[in-house]
Amino acid sequence: MPDQDRDSFRSIEDLISYLSAIEASVEGEVEKIANSFDTLTDRISASLRSTLGDQSWLPETTKPSPPPPPTIATPLGYFEAYRDWISRHRAITAAVVCFLGTGAFLIWRRRRLNRVKRRAKRGKNGQRTDVVVLAGPPSAPLTRSLSLDLERRGFIVYIPVNSLWEERLIQAESKADIHPLHLDVTSPSSLASTIRKVTALLNPSEPPKYPLRLVSLILLPQTPSPPESRSIAHISADSWSDAFSIHLLSPFTLLQAFLPLIVSHKTSILFLSHTNTPSLSPPLHGEANVVAHALDSYISTLRKELTAAGDINIARFKLGAFDDGSDRDALKMAIALRHDDRAASNSGPETAPEQRKVRGSPLRELHLEVFDAIVGKRKGTVYVGRGSRTYDILGKVVPQGIVGWMLGLKAQKEQAQNRKQADDVVDGFQASPGWERLDQISGEESA
C-alpha cells in the first residue's frame, strides 16, 4: 500500500510539472501574438495617416497632423558646458574646490606673515629693553637658530648653562646680546642666587631711563631618545628616573624659579618640543610618550592656575620636521671647541650610523611663530613644522589598530632602530650633538 501511494504522488507531481510547462508555453505564444498584433496595428495606422494626408478632397481639419520635425541639438556655450559638467560631477568639483581653496589660503597666509616686519621694542635712544630667557641645550641646533634670530630682531637673549664648555659655545657666537646664564637646577641655593641676580638686573635699585623687561621664557623640553626602541618591560627604574629628571623636572624647576618674575612682568611662556612620534603613542617608545603627555597635562594645569595672575600668554608649540641644513655650522663649531678635550681623552673615533635626511619645513616659519607668540599674537597650541598637525590628528582620530598597522608592529628589531634614528634626525635638538654625527661631519670636511 505505501508503494502505491508513493507512485500516485509521483504521477501527480509529473502532471503538475507538465501543466506548468504548458502554461509557460501558452504565455509565450500569447505574448508573441500580442506583439505581432501591436506591430500590425502600428503599420496600418501609419499607412492610413499617410494615405489620408495626401487626399485633396478631405478638409484640412480632418487630416492627421504631420510628424514634428527632427530636433537638432545646438552646441552649448562654454559656461553652459562647465555648468553641466559640474552638475554631473559634484564630488570631484567639491574636492577640487577644497584643494584649491586650502592652497590659496596657505599661500595668502604665508605672504601676509612675510610682509609683516617683526622687531622688538627699543628705547628712544635705540637701546634694547626686551629680555628673553631661552632655556634649551646650548649645543642644540634649534637653540642656536632661535637665539641668533631673536638677537637679530632686537632681543637680549640669555641661555642657561651649567658647564664651562656650554659657556664657551655661546661666547663663540661673538654676539653682544647673547649671554650665558649660569644656572644649576639641581642646587636650590645656586638657583636662588641666579634668580636674585636676574631680579637685580631687571629691577635695579636706581631705575634707569629705559628699564629692562622680561618678555618671554622659552622652554625646550627634550624628547627622550634611548639608544634603541624598547618595550616597557625592559625599561629600568633608573631609566624612568633619568627621563623624568632630565626632560620634566629640570624645565619645571626652572619655570618655578622664574614664576615671580613672570607674574610681575606679565611674561609669556613658550614650550617647544617635537611631537610627531609621541602624537601617535607608538609602542616601544614608552619614555617619549609618557614625557610628552605629562608635559601636556602640566601646561594645562599651569594655564588654569595663572588665569588669576592676569594676561599671561602660555603657548604650546608642537614641532614637526625641519630642514637641518642650517645646523652644520653649529656642529663644526662644536667640533672645534671639543677637539682639545677629545684629544686629551685619547678615545678613538666611533663609526657613525647611517641616517636618512628628512626634508621638513624651513626654520623661518618657526622663527616667525615664536616672535608672534612672544608679543601675544599666537596663543594656545601652535603647530609648526612638517607633519605636526597631521600626526596630531591621526593620533586622535585614527584607531590604534590602524596606527599600529601603519607603523608596522611586526617589523624586525633593525627596522625599529632605523625608524628611531630617523626620528632623532627629525627631532633636531638632542641634549648635545652626538660624537657619531660630529665624527661624520669632521670626516666629510677632511675629505
Side-chain angles (χ1 to χ4, degrees), residues 118-120 128 134 141-157 175 178 363-372 374:
R118 295 169 172 82
R119 291 293 183 270
R128 301 189 180 209
L134 181 61
L142 185 63
T143 305
R144 177 178 181 268
S145 177
L146 284 175
S147 63
L148 293 176
D149 182 77
L150 292 173
E151 189 273 339
R152 182 176 62 85
R153 297 183 187 277
F155 293 99
I156 302 174
V157 183
K175 297 294 182 179
I178 299 180
L363 284 173
R364 175 177 170 79
E365 295 183 3
L366 177 61
H367 298 161
L368 299 180
E369 296 290 352
V370 167
F371 182 91
D372 291 343
I374 290 176

PDB file of all heavy atoms in Angstrom, residues 118-120 128 134 141-157 175 178 363-372 374:
ATOM      1  N   ARG A 118      58.959  92.256  11.826  1.00  0.00           N
ATOM      2  CA  ARG A 118      58.932  91.884  13.240  1.00  0.00           C
ATOM      3  C   ARG A 118      60.223  92.348  13.909  1.00  0.00           C
ATOM      4  O   ARG A 118      61.306  91.831  13.596  1.00  0.00           O
ATOM      5  CB  ARG A 118      58.756  90.375  13.398  1.00  0.00           C
ATOM      6  CG  ARG A 118      57.401  89.865  12.891  1.00  0.00           C
ATOM      7  CD  ARG A 118      57.391  88.353  12.825  1.00  0.00           C
ATOM      8  NE  ARG A 118      56.078  87.843  12.537  1.00  0.00           N
ATOM      9  CZ  ARG A 118      55.550  87.772  11.318  1.00  0.00           C
ATOM     10  NH1 ARG A 118      56.258  88.197  10.282  1.00  0.00           N
ATOM     11  NH2 ARG A 118      54.336  87.290  11.126  1.00  0.00           N
ATOM     12  N   ARG A 119      60.088  93.293  14.819  1.00  0.00           N
ATOM     13  CA  ARG A 119      61.225  93.799  15.574  1.00  0.00           C
ATOM     14  C   ARG A 119      60.805  94.026  17.021  1.00  0.00           C
ATOM     15  O   ARG A 119      59.659  94.397  17.303  1.00  0.00           O
ATOM     16  CB  ARG A 119      61.735  95.117  14.971  1.00  0.00           C
ATOM     17  CG  ARG A 119      62.387  94.959  13.604  1.00  0.00           C
ATOM     18  CD  ARG A 119      63.683  94.171  13.708  1.00  0.00           C
ATOM     19  NE  ARG A 119      64.352  94.067  12.413  1.00  0.00           N
ATOM     20  CZ  ARG A 119      64.149  93.095  11.532  1.00  0.00           C
ATOM     21  NH1 ARG A 119      63.288  92.131  11.823  1.00  0.00           N
ATOM     22  NH2 ARG A 119      64.797  93.077  10.393  1.00  0.00           N
ATOM     23  N   ALA A 120      61.728  93.804  17.933  1.00  0.00           N
ATOM     24  CA  ALA A 120      61.457  94.035  19.348  1.00  0.00           C
ATOM     25  C   ALA A 120      61.416  95.536  19.643  1.00  0.00           C
ATOM     26  O   ALA A 120      62.003  96.349  18.913  1.00  0.00           O
ATOM     27  CB  ALA A 120      62.525  93.358  20.202  1.00  0.00           C
ATOM     28  N   ARG A 128      68.258  98.391  23.616  1.00  0.00           N
ATOM     29  CA  ARG A 128      67.420  97.206  23.731  1.00  0.00           C
ATOM     30  C   ARG A 128      66.873  97.097  25.149  1.00  0.00           C
ATOM     31  O   ARG A 128      67.605  97.276  26.125  1.00  0.00           O
ATOM     32  CB  ARG A 128      68.208  95.944  23.384  1.00  0.00           C
ATOM     33  CG  ARG A 128      68.796  95.958  21.978  1.00  0.00           C
ATOM     34  CD  ARG A 128      69.378  94.632  21.604  1.00  0.00           C
ATOM     35  NE  ARG A 128      69.946  94.665  20.258  1.00  0.00           N
ATOM     36  CZ  ARG A 128      70.020  93.603  19.442  1.00  0.00           C
ATOM     37  NH1 ARG A 128      69.558  92.431  19.855  1.00  0.00           N
ATOM     38  NH2 ARG A 128      70.537  93.720  18.242  1.00  0.00           N
ATOM     39  N   LEU A 134      66.092  81.826  26.997  1.00  0.00           N
ATOM     40  CA  LEU A 134      65.930  80.670  26.118  1.00  0.00           C
ATOM     41  C   LEU A 134      66.527  79.457  26.805  1.00  0.00           C
ATOM     42  O   LEU A 134      67.745  79.232  26.770  1.00  0.00           O
ATOM     43  CB  LEU A 134      66.605  80.938  24.767  1.00  0.00           C
ATOM     44  CG  LEU A 134      66.515  79.846  23.713  1.00  0.00           C
ATOM     45  CD1 LEU A 134      65.070  79.557  23.350  1.00  0.00           C
ATOM     46  CD2 LEU A 134      67.296  80.250  22.461  1.00  0.00           C
ATOM     47  N   PRO A 141      71.051  72.529  17.710  1.00  0.00           N
ATOM     48  CA  PRO A 141      70.880  73.436  16.562  1.00  0.00           C
ATOM     49  C   PRO A 141      69.662  74.340  16.695  1.00  0.00           C
ATOM     50  O   PRO A 141      69.701  75.496  16.270  1.00  0.00           O
ATOM     51  CB  PRO A 141      70.747  72.479  15.375  1.00  0.00           C
ATOM     52  CG  PRO A 141      71.404  71.220  15.812  1.00  0.00           C
ATOM     53  CD  PRO A 141      71.163  71.123  17.284  1.00  0.00           C
ATOM     54  N   LEU A 142      68.572  73.829  17.292  1.00  0.00           N
ATOM     55  CA  LEU A 142      67.378  74.655  17.418  1.00  0.00           C
ATOM     56  C   LEU A 142      67.611  75.816  18.383  1.00  0.00           C
ATOM     57  O   LEU A 142      67.159  76.942  18.134  1.00  0.00           O
ATOM     58  CB  LEU A 142      66.199  73.805  17.890  1.00  0.00           C
ATOM     59  CG  LEU A 142      64.852  74.520  17.946  1.00  0.00           C
ATOM     60  CD1 LEU A 142      64.438  74.975  16.561  1.00  0.00           C
ATOM     61  CD2 LEU A 142      63.789  73.632  18.550  1.00  0.00           C
ATOM     62  N   THR A 143      68.306  75.575  19.485  1.00  0.00           N
ATOM     63  CA  THR A 143      68.622  76.649  20.427  1.00  0.00           C
ATOM     64  C   THR A 143      69.482  77.711  19.765  1.00  0.00           C
ATOM     65  O   THR A 143      69.235  78.916  19.918  1.00  0.00           O
ATOM     66  CB  THR A 143      69.343  76.069  21.654  1.00  0.00           C
ATOM     67  OG1 THR A 143      68.554  75.031  22.232  1.00  0.00           O
ATOM     68  CG2 THR A 143      69.595  77.143  22.689  1.00  0.00           C
ATOM     69  N   ARG A 144      70.472  77.298  19.027  1.00  0.00           N
ATOM     70  CA  ARG A 144      71.339  78.263  18.340  1.00  0.00           C
ATOM     71  C   ARG A 144      70.571  79.059  17.306  1.00  0.00           C
ATOM     72  O   ARG A 144      70.725  80.285  17.203  1.00  0.00           O
ATOM     73  CB  ARG A 144      72.501  77.520  17.678  1.00  0.00           C
ATOM     74  CG  ARG A 144      73.434  78.423  16.882  1.00  0.00           C
ATOM     75  CD  ARG A 144      74.591  77.645  16.286  1.00  0.00           C
ATOM     76  NE  ARG A 144      75.488  78.512  15.559  1.00  0.00           N
ATOM     77  CZ  ARG A 144      75.399  78.775  14.272  1.00  0.00           C
ATOM     78  NH1 ARG A 144      74.410  78.228  13.562  1.00  0.00           N
ATOM     79  NH2 ARG A 144      76.254  79.586  13.672  1.00  0.00           N
ATOM     80  N   SER A 145      69.728  78.391  16.522  1.00  0.00           N
ATOM     81  CA  SER A 145      68.965  79.091  15.486  1.00  0.00           C
ATOM     82  C   SER A 145      68.019  80.121  16.093  1.00  0.00           C
ATOM     83  O   SER A 145      67.922  81.260  15.618  1.00  0.00           O
ATOM     84  CB  SER A 145      68.190  78.070  14.647  1.00  0.00           C
ATOM     85  OG  SER A 145      67.383  78.709  13.687  1.00  0.00           O
ATOM     86  N   LEU A 146      67.309  79.747  17.166  1.00  0.00           N
ATOM     87  CA  LEU A 146      66.379  80.680  17.800  1.00  0.00           C
ATOM     88  C   LEU A 146      67.122  81.848  18.445  1.00  0.00           C
ATOM     89  O   LEU A 146      66.666  82.998  18.360  1.00  0.00           O
ATOM     90  CB  LEU A 146      65.539  79.946  18.845  1.00  0.00           C
ATOM     91  CG  LEU A 146      64.420  79.051  18.321  1.00  0.00           C
ATOM     92  CD1 LEU A 146      63.764  78.296  19.465  1.00  0.00           C
ATOM     93  CD2 LEU A 146      63.374  79.867  17.573  1.00  0.00           C
ATOM     94  N   SER A 147      68.233  81.574  19.102  1.00  0.00           N
ATOM     95  CA  SER A 147      68.974  82.649  19.762  1.00  0.00           C
ATOM     96  C   SER A 147      69.484  83.671  18.752  1.00  0.00           C
ATOM     97  O   SER A 147      69.381  84.884  18.979  1.00  0.00           O
ATOM     98  CB  SER A 147      70.128  82.064  20.579  1.00  0.00           C
ATOM     99  OG  SER A 147      71.057  81.409  19.731  1.00  0.00           O
ATOM    100  N   LEU A 148      70.010  83.207  17.633  1.00  0.00           N
ATOM    101  CA  LEU A 148      70.506  84.139  16.621  1.00  0.00           C
ATOM    102  C   LEU A 148      69.370  84.948  16.006  1.00  0.00           C
ATOM    103  O   LEU A 148      69.516  86.149  15.741  1.00  0.00           O
ATOM    104  CB  LEU A 148      71.261  83.364  15.529  1.00  0.00           C
ATOM    105  CG  LEU A 148      72.570  82.694  15.952  1.00  0.00           C
ATOM    106  CD1 LEU A 148      73.154  81.897  14.795  1.00  0.00           C
ATOM    107  CD2 LEU A 148      73.568  83.732  16.443  1.00  0.00           C
ATOM    108  N   ASP A 149      68.231  84.315  15.774  1.00  0.00           N
ATOM    109  CA  ASP A 149      67.109  85.046  15.184  1.00  0.00           C
ATOM    110  C   ASP A 149      66.537  86.076  16.163  1.00  0.00           C
ATOM    111  O   ASP A 149      66.226  87.205  15.769  1.00  0.00           O
ATOM    112  CB  ASP A 149      66.021  84.057  14.759  1.00  0.00           C
ATOM    113  CG  ASP A 149      64.849  84.749  14.083  1.00  0.00           C
ATOM    114  OD1 ASP A 149      64.971  85.118  12.905  1.00  0.00           O
ATOM    115  OD2 ASP A 149      63.806  84.929  14.756  1.00  0.00           O
ATOM    116  N   LEU A 150      66.403  85.692  17.435  1.00  0.00           N
ATOM    117  CA  LEU A 150      65.881  86.641  18.422  1.00  0.00           C
ATOM    118  C   LEU A 150      66.838  87.812  18.623  1.00  0.00           C
ATOM    119  O   LEU A 150      66.410  88.965  18.776  1.00  0.00           O
ATOM    120  CB  LEU A 150      65.635  85.921  19.749  1.00  0.00           C
ATOM    121  CG  LEU A 150      64.501  84.881  19.746  1.00  0.00           C
ATOM    122  CD1 LEU A 150      64.467  84.133  21.063  1.00  0.00           C
ATOM    123  CD2 LEU A 150      63.154  85.543  19.475  1.00  0.00           C
ATOM    124  N   GLU A 151      68.138  87.537  18.622  1.00  0.00           N
ATOM    125  CA  GLU A 151      69.111  88.625  18.754  1.00  0.00           C
ATOM    126  C   GLU A 151      69.047  89.552  17.545  1.00  0.00           C
ATOM    127  O   GLU A 151      69.157  90.783  17.688  1.00  0.00           O
ATOM    128  CB  GLU A 151      70.513  88.018  18.915  1.00  0.00           C
ATOM    129  CG  GLU A 151      71.602  89.013  19.277  1.00  0.00           C
ATOM    130  CD  GLU A 151      72.224  89.674  18.047  1.00  0.00           C
ATOM    131  OE1 GLU A 151      72.105  89.096  16.948  1.00  0.00           O
ATOM    132  OE2 GLU A 151      72.811  90.764  18.194  1.00  0.00           O
ATOM    133  N   ARG A 152      68.856  89.003  16.374  1.00  0.00           N
ATOM    134  CA  ARG A 152      68.775  89.831  15.173  1.00  0.00           C
ATOM    135  C   ARG A 152      67.528  90.706  15.181  1.00  0.00           C
ATOM    136  O   ARG A 152      67.533  91.807  14.609  1.00  0.00           O
ATOM    137  CB  ARG A 152      68.770  88.923  13.938  1.00  0.00           C
ATOM    138  CG  ARG A 152      68.739  89.654  12.611  1.00  0.00           C
ATOM    139  CD  ARG A 152      68.845  88.671  11.471  1.00  0.00           C
ATOM    140  NE  ARG A 152      67.714  87.747  11.468  1.00  0.00           N
ATOM    141  CZ  ARG A 152      66.549  88.013  10.891  1.00  0.00           C
ATOM    142  NH1 ARG A 152      66.352  89.171  10.278  1.00  0.00           N
ATOM    143  NH2 ARG A 152      65.580  87.127  10.921  1.00  0.00           N
ATOM    144  N   ARG A 153      66.466  90.263  15.841  1.00  0.00           N
ATOM    145  CA  ARG A 153      65.228  91.041  15.884  1.00  0.00           C
ATOM    146  C   ARG A 153      65.196  92.049  17.034  1.00  0.00           C
ATOM    147  O   ARG A 153      64.187  92.734  17.201  1.00  0.00           O
ATOM    148  CB  ARG A 153      64.024  90.101  15.983  1.00  0.00           C
ATOM    149  CG  ARG A 153      63.884  89.191  14.772  1.00  0.00           C
ATOM    150  CD  ARG A 153      62.658  88.314  14.849  1.00  0.00           C
ATOM    151  NE  ARG A 153      62.640  87.343  13.769  1.00  0.00           N
ATOM    152  CZ  ARG A 153      62.200  87.590  12.535  1.00  0.00           C
ATOM    153  NH1 ARG A 153      61.720  88.787  12.243  1.00  0.00           N
ATOM    154  NH2 ARG A 153      62.227  86.656  11.606  1.00  0.00           N
ATOM    155  N   GLY A 154      66.249  92.129  17.818  1.00  0.00           N
ATOM    156  CA  GLY A 154      66.334  93.179  18.814  1.00  0.00           C
ATOM    157  C   GLY A 154      66.151  92.750  20.247  1.00  0.00           C
ATOM    158  O   GLY A 154      66.003  93.601  21.129  1.00  0.00           O
ATOM    159  N   PHE A 155      66.193  91.449  20.549  1.00  0.00           N
ATOM    160  CA  PHE A 155      66.045  90.981  21.924  1.00  0.00           C
ATOM    161  C   PHE A 155      67.417  90.776  22.574  1.00  0.00           C
ATOM    162  O   PHE A 155      68.415  90.534  21.888  1.00  0.00           O
ATOM    163  CB  PHE A 155      65.269  89.659  21.971  1.00  0.00           C
ATOM    164  CG  PHE A 155      63.836  89.773  21.560  1.00  0.00           C
ATOM    165  CD1 PHE A 155      63.440  89.425  20.276  1.00  0.00           C
ATOM    166  CD2 PHE A 155      62.875  90.228  22.444  1.00  0.00           C
ATOM    167  CE1 PHE A 155      62.111  89.525  19.890  1.00  0.00           C
ATOM    168  CE2 PHE A 155      61.548  90.333  22.070  1.00  0.00           C
ATOM    169  CZ  PHE A 155      61.160  89.981  20.784  1.00  0.00           C
ATOM    170  N   ILE A 156      67.421  90.857  23.902  1.00  0.00           N
ATOM    171  CA  ILE A 156      68.578  90.438  24.684  1.00  0.00           C
ATOM    172  C   ILE A 156      68.316  89.005  25.147  1.00  0.00           C
ATOM    173  O   ILE A 156      67.352  88.744  25.860  1.00  0.00           O
ATOM    174  CB  ILE A 156      68.799  91.361  25.893  1.00  0.00           C
ATOM    175  CG1 ILE A 156      68.980  92.809  25.430  1.00  0.00           C
ATOM    176  CG2 ILE A 156      70.001  90.904  26.709  1.00  0.00           C
ATOM    177  CD1 ILE A 156      69.068  93.803  26.577  1.00  0.00           C
ATOM    178  N   VAL A 157      69.155  88.078  24.715  1.00  0.00           N
ATOM    179  CA  VAL A 157      68.916  86.650  24.918  1.00  0.00           C
ATOM    180  C   VAL A 157      69.858  86.119  25.983  1.00  0.00           C
ATOM    181  O   VAL A 157      71.087  86.347  25.923  1.00  0.00           O
ATOM    182  CB  VAL A 157      69.097  85.868  23.601  1.00  0.00           C
ATOM    183  CG1 VAL A 157      68.772  84.397  23.809  1.00  0.00           C
ATOM    184  CG2 VAL A 157      68.220  86.454  22.502  1.00  0.00           C
ATOM    185  N   LYS A 175      78.301  87.365  19.789  1.00  0.00           N
ATOM    186  CA  LYS A 175      77.149  88.257  19.732  1.00  0.00           C
ATOM    187  C   LYS A 175      77.062  89.008  21.057  1.00  0.00           C
ATOM    188  O   LYS A 175      77.053  88.400  22.139  1.00  0.00           O
ATOM    189  CB  LYS A 175      75.863  87.485  19.481  1.00  0.00           C
ATOM    190  CG  LYS A 175      75.825  86.750  18.138  1.00  0.00           C
ATOM    191  CD  LYS A 175      75.814  87.728  16.981  1.00  0.00           C
ATOM    192  CE  LYS A 175      75.716  86.999  15.648  1.00  0.00           C
ATOM    193  NZ  LYS A 175      75.684  87.935  14.503  1.00  0.00           N
ATOM    194  N   ILE A 178      73.793  88.081  23.241  1.00  0.00           N
ATOM    195  CA  ILE A 178      73.516  86.690  23.605  1.00  0.00           C
ATOM    196  C   ILE A 178      74.458  86.335  24.747  1.00  0.00           C
ATOM    197  O   ILE A 178      75.682  86.283  24.571  1.00  0.00           O
ATOM    198  CB  ILE A 178      73.709  85.730  22.413  1.00  0.00           C
ATOM    199  CG1 ILE A 178      72.758  86.089  21.263  1.00  0.00           C
ATOM    200  CG2 ILE A 178      73.456  84.293  22.846  1.00  0.00           C
ATOM    201  CD1 ILE A 178      72.890  85.193  20.055  1.00  0.00           C
ATOM    202  N   LEU A 363      63.135  76.702   8.873  1.00  0.00           N
ATOM    203  CA  LEU A 363      63.128  77.212  10.238  1.00  0.00           C
ATOM    204  C   LEU A 363      62.575  78.629  10.326  1.00  0.00           C
ATOM    205  O   LEU A 363      62.205  79.080  11.417  1.00  0.00           O
ATOM    206  CB  LEU A 363      64.550  77.184  10.807  1.00  0.00           C
ATOM    207  CG  LEU A 363      65.067  75.811  11.233  1.00  0.00           C
ATOM    208  CD1 LEU A 363      66.533  75.902  11.616  1.00  0.00           C
ATOM    209  CD2 LEU A 363      64.248  75.270  12.393  1.00  0.00           C
ATOM    210  N   ARG A 364      62.504  79.331   9.216  1.00  0.00           N
ATOM    211  CA  ARG A 364      61.951  80.691   9.232  1.00  0.00           C
ATOM    212  C   ARG A 364      60.509  80.676   9.734  1.00  0.00           C
ATOM    213  O   ARG A 364      60.067  81.606  10.428  1.00  0.00           O
ATOM    214  CB  ARG A 364      62.035  81.299   7.837  1.00  0.00           C
ATOM    215  CG  ARG A 364      61.371  82.657   7.728  1.00  0.00           C
ATOM    216  CD  ARG A 364      61.545  83.251   6.339  1.00  0.00           C
ATOM    217  NE  ARG A 364      60.715  84.424   6.163  1.00  0.00           N
ATOM    218  CZ  ARG A 364      60.992  85.634   6.625  1.00  0.00           C
ATOM    219  NH1 ARG A 364      62.105  85.820   7.316  1.00  0.00           N
ATOM    220  NH2 ARG A 364      60.171  86.636   6.409  1.00  0.00           N
ATOM    221  N   GLU A 365      59.747  79.647   9.385  1.00  0.00           N
ATOM    222  CA  GLU A 365      58.369  79.566   9.863  1.00  0.00           C
ATOM    223  C   GLU A 365      58.322  79.496  11.388  1.00  0.00           C
ATOM    224  O   GLU A 365      57.483  80.147  12.033  1.00  0.00           O
ATOM    225  CB  GLU A 365      57.678  78.344   9.259  1.00  0.00           C
ATOM    226  CG  GLU A 365      57.520  78.406   7.752  1.00  0.00           C
ATOM    227  CD  GLU A 365      56.772  77.207   7.208  1.00  0.00           C
ATOM    228  OE1 GLU A 365      56.331  76.372   8.038  1.00  0.00           O
ATOM    229  OE2 GLU A 365      56.639  77.090   5.980  1.00  0.00           O
ATOM    230  N   LEU A 366      59.233  78.740  11.983  1.00  0.00           N
ATOM    231  CA  LEU A 366      59.288  78.655  13.446  1.00  0.00           C
ATOM    232  C   LEU A 366      59.686  80.000  14.044  1.00  0.00           C
ATOM    233  O   LEU A 366      59.130  80.430  15.066  1.00  0.00           O
ATOM    234  CB  LEU A 366      60.268  77.569  13.864  1.00  0.00           C
ATOM    235  CG  LEU A 366      60.483  77.399  15.370  1.00  0.00           C
ATOM    236  CD1 LEU A 366      59.179  77.020  16.063  1.00  0.00           C
ATOM    237  CD2 LEU A 366      61.556  76.361  15.649  1.00  0.00           C
ATOM    238  N   HIS A 367      60.645  80.685  13.434  1.00  0.00           N
ATOM    239  CA  HIS A 367      61.074  81.987  13.949  1.00  0.00           C
ATOM    240  C   HIS A 367      59.913  82.983  13.972  1.00  0.00           C
ATOM    241  O   HIS A 367      59.728  83.718  14.957  1.00  0.00           O
ATOM    242  CB  HIS A 367      62.217  82.527  13.087  1.00  0.00           C
ATOM    243  CG  HIS A 367      63.441  81.672  13.105  1.00  0.00           C
ATOM    244  ND1 HIS A 367      64.433  81.742  12.146  1.00  0.00           N
ATOM    245  CD2 HIS A 367      63.831  80.687  13.973  1.00  0.00           C
ATOM    246  CE1 HIS A 367      65.373  80.877  12.420  1.00  0.00           C
ATOM    247  NE2 HIS A 367      65.046  80.212  13.520  1.00  0.00           N
ATOM    248  N   LEU A 368      59.134  83.009  12.901  1.00  0.00           N
ATOM    249  CA  LEU A 368      58.018  83.953  12.844  1.00  0.00           C
ATOM    250  C   LEU A 368      56.950  83.614  13.885  1.00  0.00           C
ATOM    251  O   LEU A 368      56.406  84.508  14.549  1.00  0.00           O
ATOM    252  CB  LEU A 368      57.403  83.947  11.439  1.00  0.00           C
ATOM    253  CG  LEU A 368      58.335  84.358  10.289  1.00  0.00           C
ATOM    254  CD1 LEU A 368      57.590  84.315   8.965  1.00  0.00           C
ATOM    255  CD2 LEU A 368      58.918  85.740  10.519  1.00  0.00           C
ATOM    256  N   GLU A 369      56.649  82.333  14.036  1.00  0.00           N
ATOM    257  CA  GLU A 369      55.628  81.938  15.010  1.00  0.00           C
ATOM    258  C   GLU A 369      56.091  82.206  16.447  1.00  0.00           C
ATOM    259  O   GLU A 369      55.283  82.608  17.300  1.00  0.00           O
ATOM    260  CB  GLU A 369      55.288  80.452  14.832  1.00  0.00           C
ATOM    261  CG  GLU A 369      54.660  80.101  13.492  1.00  0.00           C
ATOM    262  CD  GLU A 369      53.247  80.639  13.361  1.00  0.00           C
ATOM    263  OE1 GLU A 369      52.702  81.151  14.356  1.00  0.00           O
ATOM    264  OE2 GLU A 369      52.689  80.547  12.251  1.00  0.00           O
ATOM    265  N   VAL A 370      57.367  82.006  16.725  1.00  0.00           N
ATOM    266  CA  VAL A 370      57.886  82.270  18.067  1.00  0.00           C
ATOM    267  C   VAL A 370      57.790  83.761  18.382  1.00  0.00           C
ATOM    268  O   VAL A 370      57.385  84.158  19.493  1.00  0.00           O
ATOM    269  CB  VAL A 370      59.337  81.758  18.194  1.00  0.00           C
ATOM    270  CG1 VAL A 370      60.000  82.298  19.451  1.00  0.00           C
ATOM    271  CG2 VAL A 370      59.355  80.239  18.204  1.00  0.00           C
ATOM    272  N   PHE A 371      58.151  84.607  17.440  1.00  0.00           N
ATOM    273  CA  PHE A 371      58.044  86.044  17.675  1.00  0.00           C
ATOM    274  C   PHE A 371      56.594  86.446  17.925  1.00  0.00           C
ATOM    275  O   PHE A 371      56.300  87.231  18.842  1.00  0.00           O
ATOM    276  CB  PHE A 371      58.611  86.816  16.487  1.00  0.00           C
ATOM    277  CG  PHE A 371      58.591  88.312  16.671  1.00  0.00           C
ATOM    278  CD1 PHE A 371      59.664  88.969  17.227  1.00  0.00           C
ATOM    279  CD2 PHE A 371      57.478  89.055  16.292  1.00  0.00           C
ATOM    280  CE1 PHE A 371      59.652  90.347  17.417  1.00  0.00           C
ATOM    281  CE2 PHE A 371      57.449  90.429  16.476  1.00  0.00           C
ATOM    282  CZ  PHE A 371      58.538  91.075  17.033  1.00  0.00           C
ATOM    283  N   ASP A 372      55.667  85.930  17.120  1.00  0.00           N
ATOM    284  CA  ASP A 372      54.256  86.273  17.320  1.00  0.00           C
ATOM    285  C   ASP A 372      53.750  85.802  18.678  1.00  0.00           C
ATOM    286  O   ASP A 372      52.913  86.464  19.297  1.00  0.00           O
ATOM    287  CB  ASP A 372      53.414  85.650  16.204  1.00  0.00           C
ATOM    288  CG  ASP A 372      53.679  86.296  14.853  1.00  0.00           C
ATOM    289  OD1 ASP A 372      54.246  87.407  14.829  1.00  0.00           O
ATOM    290  OD2 ASP A 372      53.339  85.692  13.813  1.00  0.00           O
ATOM    291  N   ILE A 374      55.644  85.552  21.397  1.00  0.00           N
ATOM    292  CA  ILE A 374      56.265  86.410  22.409  1.00  0.00           C
ATOM    293  C   ILE A 374      55.459  87.691  22.593  1.00  0.00           C
ATOM    294  O   ILE A 374      55.241  88.153  23.721  1.00  0.00           O
ATOM    295  CB  ILE A 374      57.724  86.719  22.010  1.00  0.00           C
ATOM    296  CG1 ILE A 374      58.589  85.458  22.133  1.00  0.00           C
ATOM    297  CG2 ILE A 374      58.301  87.828  22.883  1.00  0.00           C
ATOM    298  CD1 ILE A 374      60.009  85.646  21.666  1.00  0.00           C
TER     299      ILE A 374
END
